[in-house]
Amino acid sequence: MPETASTGARPTILLDCDPGHDDAIAIVVAARHTELVGITTVAGNAPLDSTTHNALVIRDLLGVDVPIHSGAAGPLVGEPKFAGHIHGESGLDGADLPTPSTPLDGTDAVNFIIDMCRSTQELWLVPIGPLTNIALALRTAPDIAHRIAGISLMGGGTFGNRSSTAEFNIWADPEAAHVVFSSGVRIVMAGLDVTHQFTATPDRIAAIRSTGGLLGTTLADLLTFFSAKYGELHDDGALIGGAIHDPLAVMALSHPHLFERVARHVVVETRGEYTRGMTVIDQRKVTGRQTPNCEVLTSVDAAAAFDVVLEAITHFTAPD
Ligand code: RIB
Ligand code: CA
């Protein structure tokens, strides 16, 4: 079976995102390899109006008919925090982007999420930004916790990127992350430990550009910008290219054979002076360790995962 093939049934997912360069790649993979019932947007990499605009742009570039609903403009507690230092002020800097030609489908992501959880069999929620929309949906409609198949999220890790201990998606709304990790729902976690294994190297960006269409050129330009920002922020050689975090939360469901995972107990620190937003992962090899509540991805076959991304881009590239 070619590595790009998904394994059997296509997962049915709702993608909650804050596009975001790596979110854009996740949308491409989700549109190709899942039954994508909807996209919801949240403030994160950029303000909500920007992440929503960017999601509309990516949908147009793919030419797919997936509803997009905007959601929370900020975290459950405190003020919104953005990541312009990585994604630029627009949240998707680095390329000439078309103006969206299709309208937003709604501005109440939380009730859209609730409705889809109640009406869709075996639905996976795939949040790849701050968890605000997901937490609000779980709080508003606790019944969805036992209706959905699970939550496959990008976030957390044994180290941070917005602080030494906290990864951005968790750091931006720790209270929301606590709601999700304490919900009892099956959770798959693509944290920095695995996402830093999957980077936009120059060769991979060149391969994306060589797909030839507007989509490939745009994504190659975006990843070039994204990787340059990563290079500015990391020691030489620490990472070769920007970490393409978000599509791994999708591929964990569509291509599970590409990953190794371990069961771990994970809680979110919401009060620590130096650790607020940290995912505290119990890695102890002791019989008294806490009962796991999360499947933590520990490794990915990066070459095969990139083949999945490249094939998806090619699939959506209109013939000349
Ligand atoms: O820390 C990486 C995460 O934060 C990714 O989801 C990226 O898009 C940003 O949202
Ligand atoms: Ca994201």
Side-chain angles (χ1 to χ4, degrees), residues 99-180:
T99 302
S101 62
T102 51
L104 183 62
D105 297 270
T107 58
D108 186 353
V110 171
N111 278 304
F112 175 71
I113 291 168
I114 292 167
D115 291 347
M116 297 312 293
C117 290
R118 287 174 172 166
S119 61
T120 310
Q121 291 296 317
E122 285 302 299
L123 179 68
W124 281 88
L125 298 180
V126 182
I128 54 176
L131 291 162
T132 317
N133 289 336
I134 309 301
L136 288 169
L138 285 166
R139 276 185 171 170
T140 307
D143 62 290
I144 66 173
H146 62 259
R147 291 175 183 270
I148 59 176
I151 296 173
S152 181
L153 62 89
M154 190 279 139
T158 61
F159 59 93
N161 57 10
R162 286 304 283 124
S163 73
S164 60
T165 56
E167 177 279 326
F168 177 78
N169 288 341
I170 311 300
W171 174 85
D173 194 343
E175 281 72 19
H178 171 69
V179 169
V180 170

Side-chain angles (χ1 to χ4, degrees), residues 253-275:
L253 303 178
S254 62
H255 297 75
H257 59 288
L258 300 183
F259 299 87
E260 291 182 346
R261 63 185 75 189
V262 292
R264 290 283 185 266
H265 182 271
V266 180
V267 291
V268 176
E269 177 58 68
T270 57
R271 292 195 292 267
E273 182 176 356
Y274 302 108
T275 55

Side-chain angles (χ1 to χ4, degrees), residues 233-250:
L233 295 170
H234 288 81
D235 294 340
D236 289 348
L239 282 172
I240 309 300
I244 319 174
H245 309 276
D246 290 339
L248 297 191
V250 176

Side-chain angles (χ1 to χ4, degrees), residues 16-20 22-23 45 87 128-130 154 168-169 245-246:
D16 184 71
C17 58
D18 63 334
D22 53 324
D23 302 71
N45 287 321
H87 297 273
I128 54 176
M154 190 279 139
F168 177 78
N169 288 341
H245 309 276
D246 290 339

